[in-house]
Amino acid sequence: MPFRLDISIFFCYFADRINRILKMKKLLTILSLAVSLVATAQLPTRIETFPIGSVRLGKSQFLNNQQQDIHYLLGMDADRLLAPYLKGAGLEPKAENYTNWENTGLDGHIGGHYLSALSYMYAATGNQEIATRLDYFLSELQRCQQASGNGYLGGVPNPKQIWSEIAQGNIRAASFGLNDRWVPLYNIHKIYAGLRDAYLIAGRKEAKTMLVKLTDWMIDEVKNLSDGQIQEMLRSEQGGLNETFADVAAITGDKRYLRLAHQFSDQQMLQPLLHGEDNLTGKHANTQIPKVIGYKRIADIEGLADWDKAAQFFWDVVVAQRSVSIGGNSMREHFNPTNDFSELLESEQGPESCNTYNMLRLTKMLYQTSADKSYIDYYERALYNHILSIFNPVQGGFVYFTPMRSGHYRVYSQPQTSMWCCVGTGIENPARYGEMIYAHEGEDLLVNLFIPSILTWDGLTVTQENRFPTEPSTTLKLTMKKARQFALKIRMPKWCTGMNVVVNGQQASATSTNGYLAIDRKWQDGDVVKVNLPMHLSAETTPDGKPQYSFLYGPIVLAAKTGTDRQDGLYADDSRGGHIANGPKIPLTQMPAMIGSKDSVLSHLQPVADKPMNFRLTSLTLPQFEGMTLQPFYQLYECRYQIYFPLFSQQEWTAQRQQMAAREQARMALEAQTVDKVFCGEQQSENDHFFADENSRNGAEGDTHWRRTRKMFCYRMNATGATKLRITGFAADKDSFELAIGTTVIDSSVVLDQNGIAEVAMPQTEGIVELRIIARQGRQTPRISEVRLLR
């Protein structure tokens, strides 16, 4: 619902923002900027997407996954998901919390995603069991909110203490914690988003009332805090709170909520983007993407062209410079350097699913106001090759990390054990598959994706049937009560050359406009449109330009199945690290590379007869892999695989093979010796080891994260069989420090050597120990990047 701000209120806020952030002090300048922004209408929506309930999926892997997701959703115990909310409201839970992240600090976060998933799934399918579950879940949440008495609703443990402290200005923020809780703002954002979706997507009016009450609670929570104090809170991961507050402003027309959205917009992230600066390397990826979604939402409501441009810049950088071929990004959850993807291709913790879920949400918003079909090219790439591939199509289950490491595998969640963030977004994805297939531009209909489906729109039904991408074509059948004039616009994909359209058996007269092939005519009931979409092979390197190639056929990333041995933890248990594929890594020197030149890289692929989308790969370094078969990556599951293939000349291979083998052997030997490890300063690694601290801080130098302290920080680690403790940090930091197991000091003066490494003998210990890193009196520790317990 569009609205304008009262100029006096907006001027007061904007003047404060300008003075604080941009250091501008001339009143006339502030006034002119404020007036110009107030005078600007909201950003026009050029493209309207259809409500999710207007589209039903047809026979395809998308539909199969959607049906499996319904079983997954109904297999989850609503009362266990609700338990943190009931406890937070002082009510007796009907069941105990789920384990894993749901009872170790992030209690309740899956409940918010679950509410969103139920809302989308009901709208997408009309399934009545889902509707019943949705209504029950909402009614229980409503009971919790009523019991709280002040509008609060959340699963954050011991909520009265933390929110009371914050309201009084006692704010202790760190990257992944706030007042000794695990990202409570991120946590509560999920229920905000769930209530919004229950209202806007599923039409549950009580959800709107609950959402507004919860937002009023937040206004009251921060009413005595300065903008600076709120910005300090935002050092902690907060999800997309700025977006949901802007949504409440749009729903209600009340500008108080838009001010709240501005207050919860992280300026440390926004300001560089406004100036076209990419400082993303080392940042936690899925902390940043939701913030940018919020900037974009505020830009759309207020007509802020600069914020919109900042969101576009962020998208451009992430997609073009920080994403791999499947459309995903990040290594161990963080943005890696744009000039070096080698660590990402060696890690078992590749692109995180949550990131791509949120990148697709941002992509949709940018497309709607720009009408730029290049956003759909990315959307299609990421949807097929990452989002579709993270779901186990046989027995359900979602993937957290998709390793780009050759010969590695993925781990799948189970509905009773796995409560990770990527399960939260994962259960939403299949319900949202249909939201970008079609759109309209006024009366003109746009076909964006070639997914079997049925669209119902204002008396018109469009049925799309195909076997895409196995067959490079799609058919559209139109049903209507009376003839109507409009342009049918079919996306001209970036990967397609020679696209053509046939209407009722005759070559259509079509024009190319803004990346679409448009047929403008008076359409009749029963018209049939056949679209031919010739596909071809292509090869692309990682964004750093190094000769390591991923192959695509049309928009589909191809990969090779390399085996099924030792996929330890393939189905995740409820351990804190259960989402990571911690089974044996195959040495990269034992995985195939190509011998040849970059000019002829596509000649390595030969089509397999009678198997569409299958190709044999030839001229490989290892004879046993010669002729290995590539097929669509999204069709592979429960197996080891290879997506990227290095390319060497014969001379390079001969020269580098021994060097590569030596590096890989040293790396594999260290891994084999490792009992347990922590990557310091990285959220999931630290939280999986129950990080605690006094007066510590974390940061990053390039893609190397670190933590240091003037007092102490500690981890709970598995010491079974460990005889040695290895600390890695920055050699330039010379301060000594103490190491202790519990309260027992095992070395009182540890110093990093010239390589930034210190090794200390471990006392004989079994099971879980608390490893403490302690600063010496009046000093601080070095920046420590990694802690390992070694056999």
Side-chain angles (χ1 to χ4, degrees):
M1 183 185 301
F3 63 93
R4 293 178 181 271
L5 292 174
D6 177 84
I7 188 167
S8 61
I9 294 175
F10 188 82
F11 168 74
C12 292
Y13 169 67
F14 195 74
D16 173 70
R17 173 173 167 244
I18 291 293
N19 273 316
R20 181 169 49 87
I21 303 300
L22 301 181
K23 312 295 186 184
M24 300 174 85
K25 298 181 180 179
K26 292 184 178 179
L27 189 60
L28 184 61
T29 303
I30 297 171
L31 179 59
S32 65
L33 285 170
V35 169
S36 68
L37 281 178
V38 173
T40 303
Q42 70 178 47
L43 291 180
T45 299
R46 297 180 58 186
I47 302 293
E48 296 279 356
T49 55
F50 289 101
I52 196 71
S54 297
V55 180
R56 292 287 188 266
L57 297 182
K59 185 178 179 181
S60 65
Q61 188 163 325
F62 289 99
L63 179 60
N64 175 76
N65 287 9
Q66 190 177 84
Q67 292 171 338
Q68 287 279 6
D69 191 36
I70 290 174
H71 294 305
Y72 199 101
L73 288 169
L74 294 175
M76 298 178 81
D77 187 331
D79 286 324
R80 295 189 73 181
L81 292 171
L82 286 162
Y85 294 91
L86 289 159
K87 291 177 182 177
L91 299 175
E92 186 69 26
K94 298 179 180 179
E96 277 305 308
N97 294 32
Y98 272 114
T99 56
N100 205 266
W101 294 14
E102 279 287 309
N103 72 349
T104 55
L106 211 52
D107 311 29
H109 79 120
I110 291 292
H113 281 295
Y114 192 68
L115 186 55
S116 290
L118 292 173
S119 300
Y120 270 93
M121 191 62 81
Y122 173 59
T125 66
N127 184 287
Q128 288 304 306
E129 285 186 271
I130 293 290
T132 300
R133 181 69 61 89
L134 170 63
D135 290 335
Y136 173 73
F137 209 80
L138 266 177
S139 67
E140 287 294 285
L141 290 173
Q142 190 173 43
R143 191 162 69 90
C144 294
Q145 190 176 50
Q146 290 169 348
S148 73
N150 61 357
Y152 174 73
L153 176 63
V156 177
N158 196 4
K160 290 184 179 180
Q161 178 185 358
I162 179 176
W163 301 122
S164 175
E165 289 176 351
I166 289 171
Q168 295 169 26
N170 178 4
I171 297 167
R172 306 184 301 280
S175 299
F176 308 120
L178 178 63
N179 287 51
D180 309 317
R181 302 296 193 286
W182 184 5
V183 290
L185 295 178
Y186 169 92
N187 190 342
I188 199 171
H189 164 255
K190 307 312 166 200
I191 198 62
Y192 275 107
L195 292 171
R196 174 200 60 200
D197 294 340
Y199 172 59
L200 292 179
I201 305 303
R204 296 314 196 249
K205 293 181 180 179
E206 66 271 30
K208 173 186 174 182
T209 302
M210 296 165 68
L211 174 63
V212 173
K213 284 182 178 179
L214 184 56
T215 312
D216 288 340
W217 167 82
M218 184 62 83
I219 288 178
D220 189 63
E221 171 72 10
V222 301
K223 67 183 179 184
N224 294 322
L225 302 183
S226 68
D227 284 354
Q229 287 175 305
I230 295 174
Q231 288 294 306
E232 173 66 13
M233 272 206 305
L234 300 184
R235 288 179 56 210
S236 176
E237 187 178 7
Q238 71 261 200
L241 282 172
N242 54 348
E243 180 207 6
T244 50
F245 296 150
D247 287 334
V248 176
I251 289 168
T252 62
D254 189 332
K255 50 188 161 287
R256 292 182 305 137
Y257 305 125
L258 196 54
R259 172 173 169 76
L260 190 66
H262 274 275
Q263 289 177 302
F264 275 80
S265 291
D266 180 13
Q267 295 296 324
Q268 284 197 339
M269 180 66 181
L270 175 60
Q271 292 304 316
L273 296 177
L274 289 171
H275 294 90
E277 299 171 9
D278 173 10
N279 64 354
L280 298 180
T281 296
K283 283 185 165 56
H284 187 256
N286 203 46
T287 295
Q288 316 314 322
I289 303 170
K291 295 176 187 177
V292 180
I293 292 172
Y295 304 152
K296 172 60 178 165
R297 185 70 179 110
I298 294 167
D300 289 351
I301 292 174
E302 291 190 64
L304 301 181
D306 57 343
W307 286 39
D308 178 58
K309 187 177 179 181
Q312 292 179 45
F313 173 76
F314 175 88
W315 186 94
D316 289 340
V317 166
V318 172
V319 170
Q321 300 179 41
R322 297 184 178 278
S323 297
V324 291
S325 62
I326 63 170
N329 62 73
S330 79
M331 187 267 298
R332 296 204 306 266
E333 302 191 356
H334 295 76
F335 286 124
N336 58 284
T338 58
N339 62 353
D340 188 2
F341 276 67
S342 57
E343 280 201 56
L344 193 156
L345 266 60
E346 293 170 359
S347 176
E348 77 283 7
Q349 298 180 43
E352 181 186 353
S353 302
C354 284
N355 300 1
T356 303
Y357 160 91
N358 277 313
M359 283 300 295
L360 292 191
R361 294 193 64 236
L362 178 60
T363 300
K364 176 182 177 181
M365 297 168 75
L366 291 167
Y367 170 68
Q368 288 175 306
T369 53
S370 70
D372 184 346
K373 75 93 185 173
S374 64
Y375 288 115
I376 303 298
D377 287 328
Y378 167 76
Y379 195 101
E380 178 182 58
R381 170 80 72 97
L383 179 65
Y384 273 95
N385 300 302
H386 197 189
I387 296 299
L388 188 60
S389 73
I390 63 170
F391 190 81
N392 187 320
V394 173
Q395 56 188 41
F398 303 93
V399 169
Y400 194 119
F401 293 123
T402 297
M404 292 292 104
R405 182 184 175 90
S406 295
H408 214 58
Y409 65 99
R410 293 161 291 179
V411 166
Y412 298 95
S413 69
Q414 298 190 82
Q416 305 306 321
T417 67
S418 312
M419 298 296 141
W420 330 309
C421 55
C422 292
V423 167
T425 53
I427 57 178
E428 293 185 40
N429 283 324
R432 303 177 71 138
Y433 286 155
E435 67 180 340
M436 290 291 282
I437 301 175
Y438 308 98
H440 66 98
E441 195 171 15
E443 295 300 311
D444 296 338
L445 177 63
L446 282 65
V447 180
N448 282 323
L449 300 173
F450 312 114
I451 297 174
S453 51
I454 301 171
L455 166 70
T456 304
W457 175 40
D458 193 23
L460 169 67
T461 299
V462 178
T463 302
Q464 181 171 186
E465 298 175 342
N466 62 48
R467 296 185 65 225
F468 182 86
T470 304
E471 295 177 359
S473 64
T474 192
T475 299
L476 304 165
K477 298 178 180 179
L478 280 60
T479 304
M480 62 195 81
K481 291 184 177 179
K482 61 179 182 178
R484 58 195 282 187
Q485 182 83 31
F486 63 91
L488 177 62
K489 298 180 178 179
I490 303 165
R491 180 175 64 98
M492 301 172 66
K494 181 180 179 181
W495 45 263
C496 183
T497 55
M499 174 180 168
N500 67 84
V501 180
V502 174
V503 178
N504 299 332
Q506 301 294 319
Q507 194 70 36
S509 176
T511 58
S512 175
T513 174
N514 296 326
Y516 288 84
L517 204 59
I519 308 102
D520 195 344
R521 56 176 280 168
K522 194 167 189 176
W523 296 93
Q524 308 282 341
D525 181 51
D527 282 344
V528 177
V529 181
K530 175 73 178 291
V531 185
N532 296 304
L533 299 157
M535 297 197 292
H536 62 273
L537 278 170
S538 62
E540 61 182 47
T541 65
T542 46
D544 57 8
K546 293 180 181 177
Q548 44 209 12
Y549 289 89
S550 177
F551 295 101
L552 294 93
Y553 192 64
I556 307 302
V557 171
L558 304 174
K561 179 178 179 178
T562 62
T564 56
D565 294 343
R566 287 298 306 274
Q567 296 180 83
D568 298 1
L570 181 65
Y571 306 112
D573 58 20
D574 63 354
S575 64
R576 286 293 289 264
H579 56 292
I580 302 171
N582 281 319
K585 297 176 183 176
I586 297 174
L588 294 179
T589 50
Q590 294 179 19
M591 299 306 300
M594 297 180 293
I595 297 291
S597 68
K598 64 180 181 180
D599 297 329
S600 60
V601 68
L602 288 177
S603 67
H604 290 264
L605 270 68
Q606 303 297 327
V608 177
D610 302 322
K611 285 191 174 183
M613 307 289 293
N614 280 240
F615 299 85
R616 297 200 187 283
L617 190 61
T618 62
S619 300
L620 302 178
T621 54
L622 301 174
Q624 66 268 33
F625 288 101
E626 188 69 22
M628 70 191 309
T629 301
L630 303 185
Q631 66 187 91
F633 178 55
Y634 74 79
Q635 293 178 356
L636 296 178
Y637 59 96
E638 298 181 8
C639 67
R640 293 177 179 267
Y641 55 84
Q642 183 166 353
I643 294 176
Y644 277 93
F645 294 84
L647 177 71
F648 298 98
S649 68
Q650 186 62 61
Q651 185 177 10
E652 288 171 335
W653 175 246
T654 301
Q656 293 189 29
R657 187 175 185 181
Q658 287 186 337
Q659 296 176 20
M660 291 171 57
R663 289 196 303 269
E664 185 71 5
Q665 186 175 9
R667 184 183 299 114
M668 297 293 287
L670 179 60
E671 289 298 326
Q673 196 181 358
T674 299
V675 176
D676 200 357
K677 63 185 174 185
V678 181
F679 296 106
C680 303
E682 295 188 14
Q683 174 182 205
Q684 215 46 61
S685 185
E686 289 196 324
N687 281 317
D688 286 345
H689 292 85
F690 298 90
F691 163 76
D693 76 318
E694 293 180 54
N695 196 17
S696 82
R697 59 191 178 95
N698 64 306
E701 296 290 331
D703 62 338
T704 301
H705 293 80
W706 52 263
R707 182 170 295 282
R708 74 190 317 174
T709 182
R710 291 191 177 277
K711 289 192 175 180
M712 177 279 300
F713 61 92
C714 64
Y715 306 108
R716 291 172 61 189
M717 302 183 71
N718 178 17
T720 302
T723 60
K724 188 164 51 179
L725 173 62
R726 175 176 169 140
I727 304 288
T728 303
F730 290 77
D733 299 345
K734 300 301 184 182
D735 279 327
S736 62
F737 58 97
E738 293 184 3
L739 288 172
I741 300 296
T743 59
T744 303
V745 175
I746 60 173
D747 196 316
S748 62
S749 185
V750 183
V751 179
L752 300 180
D753 66 17
Q754 68 272 18
N755 297 312
I757 295 173
E759 292 189 346
V760 174
M762 277 282 293
Q764 186 172 0
T765 311
E766 296 295 317
I768 303 299
V769 300
E770 182 184 76
L771 173 68
R772 299 166 68 89
I773 296 170
I774 305 166
R776 302 188 73 184
Q777 186 68 33
R779 299 181 183 180
Q780 63 180 339
T781 65
R783 292 166 293 169
I784 296 173
S785 59
E786 187 178 281
V787 177
R788 287 179 185 257
L789 294 181
L790 305 177
R791 295 181 181 86

